[in-house]
Every structure is written in C-alpha cells, then in structure tokens.
Amino acid sequence: MPATGGAMLSSIHDDVAVESLRKRLALDPHRVRRLRNRLCKLQGSDEEALSELPTAARKAFADEILLHELTLDQRFDSQVDGASKLLFRTSDDLLLESVILRVATGRTALCISSQIGCAANCDFCATGKMGIARSLSAPQILDQVVQANQMLKPEGRKVRNIVFMGMGEPFHNVAAVNETLSKLVSPLGFDQSPRRTLVSTVGLPAAMVEFARKFPGVNLALSLHSAIQSRREEIIPLAAKYDLTELRAALQQVAEISQQSIMIEYLMLRGVNDGPQDRAALAEYLRGLPVHINLIPYNRVEAAPHLEGTAKEEREAFGAALRAEGFTVTIRYSLGADVDAACGQLVRRENRRIAAAAAQ
C-alpha cells in the first residue's frame, strides 16, 4: 500500500523497519514498545496505540508504518451459536477468511488463515477447490489476530486460543508461519500461550518434525481422516506423496520431541470413512501414540455435493468404540453453519458475486 510520495509503508510487525524509523524520529524505545503492547496485547484501537507516541511523532509514524495489513470487507455473525465469520481483503484485492468461535464454556478461539486458497485440494474442503492463489505474509496473518481482538474488546472477550485451521496448508508457507508463531508466543510480541496455539496440517512429515523442533510447546494437529491409504488418498490427494507409514514415523518423532499429545482430526464422512473397517484401521494406526482424537461433523460445501456427514448417533458409536480401546476422544459439534463457517465458502461465493457484477 503506497504512502505519500509513492514510498511503501512498512508493517508494525516489521521489527527492522520500526526500529529504523524509531531511531530516525529519536523516539524513546519504551514508547514504541507501549504502542505495540497496546495493539497486540491490550486490544487497543489504532488511536489508543498511536497515543503512546508524542503528539509531534504520531503523523510521521503513521505516514510510514502500517498498523493493519488487511481491511475488513464483511462480517457475518451467526444467529445460532455465536460464531463470527470475518472476510478480509488484502491491498491487492484478494479475499481471505478468519472465524471467531465463542465456545459455550466462555472461551474464545480464533481460526486463522495462512494462505489464500490451498494447493492440498482436499475433497471435502471449499478452500481446496479454489486452488492456490498465494501465501500470506506474517503481518497479514498476525493482523487477523489484532483485528479480531479489537472487535472482541467491547464484548469483554479476548482471543484465548489461536488455531491455524483456516485457509491454506501452514507448512506450504513455513517461513511466514514460523515468523508468525515466533511473534505470537514472544513476551515482546503477543505473549500468546504456546499451549493455547495449534497448527493443523494435512501431513507433511519432514515439516511436522521441523515444526516440533522449533516450537515444541505449540500444539500440532494432523488432519488424518482415514488410516487406510487408498481412502486417505481419495479424501486428501496430497496423501499419495506422503504415505501413512512415513506419516506415522513423523508422528512418533513429534511426540518424542514435544512430549505432549498430538491432535488427530477425523472428519466423519458417511459411507467413506465411518465403517467398522475404518475404525479398526484407525485404532491400529494410532495405537502406542499419545494422541487426542477429534471426531468432526462434516459441514456440506457446495463444491463437494457428493459428500455427506455421518449421522450423530453413528459418530457417537464410532467414538465410544475408540474410547473402549483406550483412546481419548472428543466428538465435536459444528459452529457457524448459518454463516458458511467452513473455510473457503464465503470467499468462493463473494468471488463469484464480484465476477458476475464485473461482467454486467
């Protein structure tokens, strides 16, 4: 986004640019630190954050430093369960999504995106049907957190849990995700608890192990969805590149490094992965690993009309059988169905609307 005179603005999350400007303006470093704290930790408004600077320096700072990389395009609030779908627009006019989840326990979670589109092309996912447009920068990922917290402040809420479960495969954007995580968990950044932060992947073994080494305190979730290789490849085409044997070896390494449970996400698809054979394969595959299995209901997406979710009673029976074998199992419920909370649905819909309007 150009500044006055054609120069490019730098992000508030760009440490080098901010420090360079601080020195040039002869600002007290504590003032800049308080500005960042106000924005990143205290849910302050832009005006409140800038008020930490001397009056004479505010305009010069605002002329060169961008507090937000994204513009809120639309907000959709569920009338059913308290979820809010946020549609953001980048400076180059691309759309991405985040979801605020107000859980019944009172906790607030934020599901963030790391890419616009996704190359994994999972059969059940609206984002995957978009293909890949591009990866997001660390400031663009972080701004989803900043803006969500600013929206939540009037409610007396704050983002407690951050999950990388939005648009994109995080390990296809490793550099930006690593930078984001470093700033999120740093006491000088967002001071987010690593234990309340989770990165979800469809399963890139080498990247999973490297992630565990860099961020042993941050939780990892694996979108497994089947422990039968041929079926998993039908659901997740990328699985053909990384088979279940290689993936299990990576899970074992991650467990040894992180010394904590690994979240296993299992989307329940009627007639696809919810039969007795599927359950037995899953139990055998995960036996001996410290895992927490999440059984997830399927939100139907327009791009995959051939898929249906498993009935609630059958999901519960599937979970009960796994518990009987000694596994920790949570049967999830869906949030935000009335606001298209499945990632990618809103972007696909809005892109079609924009294209149709342009064609008129």
Side-chain angles (χ1 to χ4, degrees):
M1 186 176 293
T4 304
M8 297 299 292
L9 282 86
S10 298
S11 169
I12 187 64
H13 307 294
D14 183 335
D15 296 339
V16 174
V18 170
E19 177 61 11
S20 175
L21 179 60
R22 184 199 69 76
K23 289 180 177 177
R24 185 151 44 85
L25 296 177
L27 289 171
D28 182 340
H30 295 293
R31 293 269 200 167
V32 176
R33 190 173 303 120
R34 286 200 296 269
L35 183 157
R36 278 178 154 165
N37 283 346
R38 180 80 69 172
L39 193 70
C40 300
K41 296 179 185 177
L42 303 177
Q43 302 172 270
S45 67
D46 297 359
E47 294 75 16
E48 289 171 333
L50 287 170
S51 73
E52 296 289 354
L53 300 180
T55 304
R58 289 174 200 169
K59 184 179 186 306
F61 194 90
D63 282 345
E64 295 193 35
I65 299 297
L66 203 59
L67 297 186
H68 299 291
E69 292 283 326
L70 304 172
T71 301
L72 182 65
D73 189 82
Q74 296 182 67
R75 171 178 171 172
F76 301 85
D77 295 311
S78 171
Q79 302 305 305
V80 177
D81 51 36
S84 292
K85 187 79 171 242
L86 311 177
L87 195 64
F88 290 109
R89 190 176 295 276
T90 65
S91 60
D92 52 349
D93 216 29
L94 295 174
L95 296 172
L96 64 128
E97 299 170 2
S98 305
V99 182
I100 296 173
L101 302 169
R102 299 169 184 83
V103 186
T105 58
R107 292 179 297 186
T108 304
L110 178 66
C111 179
I112 59 177
S113 295
S114 57
Q115 295 181 301
I116 298 173
C118 184
N121 194 28
C122 297
D123 193 30
F124 56 84
C125 180
T127 303
K129 302 301 182 183
M130 294 165 56
I132 180 67
R134 70 166 173 81
S135 291
L136 296 174
S137 67
Q140 288 171 329
I141 302 172
L142 291 167
D143 196 32
Q144 296 170 62
V145 181
V146 171
Q147 293 203 46
N149 266 325
Q150 288 179 328
M151 291 176 211
L152 288 166
K153 189 175 183 179
E155 303 175 26
R157 287 178 174 267
K158 185 177 184 180
V159 171
R160 180 183 185 270
N161 296 82
I162 297 174
V163 295
F164 286 73
M165 287 186 178
M167 299 171 66
E169 162 56 53
F171 294 148
H172 283 163
N173 189 16
V174 171
V177 168
N178 285 352
E179 182 182 345
T180 299
L181 287 170
S182 295
K183 290 184 182 298
L184 283 177
V185 304
S186 170
L188 298 177
F190 288 70
D191 203 20
Q192 167 75 12
S193 168
R195 299 295 183 192
R196 295 175 182 172
T197 309
L198 181 143
V199 175
S200 176
T201 177
V202 296
L204 282 69
M208 290 163 59
V209 174
E210 185 61 24
F211 162 81
R213 291 193 178 115
K214 285 182 179 293
F215 302 101
V218 176
N219 296 295
L220 180 70
L222 170 66
S223 292
L224 185 61
H225 307 320
S226 179
I228 298 171
Q229 182 65 29
S230 59
R231 288 185 190 169
R232 189 164 193 264
E233 288 180 24
E234 291 174 9
I235 301 168
I236 305 172
L238 196 64
K241 186 175 181 180
Y242 307 106
D243 68 28
L244 285 167
T245 302
E246 184 181 2
L247 192 54
R248 196 188 188 285
L251 288 172
Q252 185 67 53
Q253 284 186 268
V254 169
E256 291 169 359
I257 294 166
S258 66
Q259 296 294 301
Q260 60 183 331
S261 292
I262 301 166
M263 192 76 71
I264 301 297
E265 297 169 314
Y266 197 93
L267 187 68
M268 300 290 294
L269 298 169
R270 180 172 173 267
V272 176
N273 65 352
D274 60 352
Q277 181 188 19
D278 300 287
R279 188 182 63 241
L282 181 64
E284 180 61 29
Y285 185 74
L286 296 177
R287 191 165 284 117
L289 290 172
V291 296
H292 184 140
I293 303 172
N294 267 343
L295 299 181
I296 305 169
Y298 175 58
N299 270 339
R300 290 195 76 171
V301 298
E302 186 180 318
H306 57 291
L307 295 177
E308 296 181 24
T310 303
K312 180 181 177 182
E313 298 77 13
E314 293 174 22
R315 291 201 309 269
E316 290 174 348
F318 196 98
L322 289 170
R323 288 194 191 100
E325 297 210 39
F327 291 101
T328 301
V329 180
T330 298
I331 301 174
R332 296 293 180 189
Y333 61 96
S334 180
L335 290 175
D338 63 323
V339 291
D340 288 336
C343 287
Q345 291 195 96
L346 267 181
V347 167
R348 285 172 58 85
R349 191 181 79 195
E350 287 304 299
N351 281 342
R352 286 198 300 271
R353 181 185 65 78
I354 292 167
Q360 290 178 354

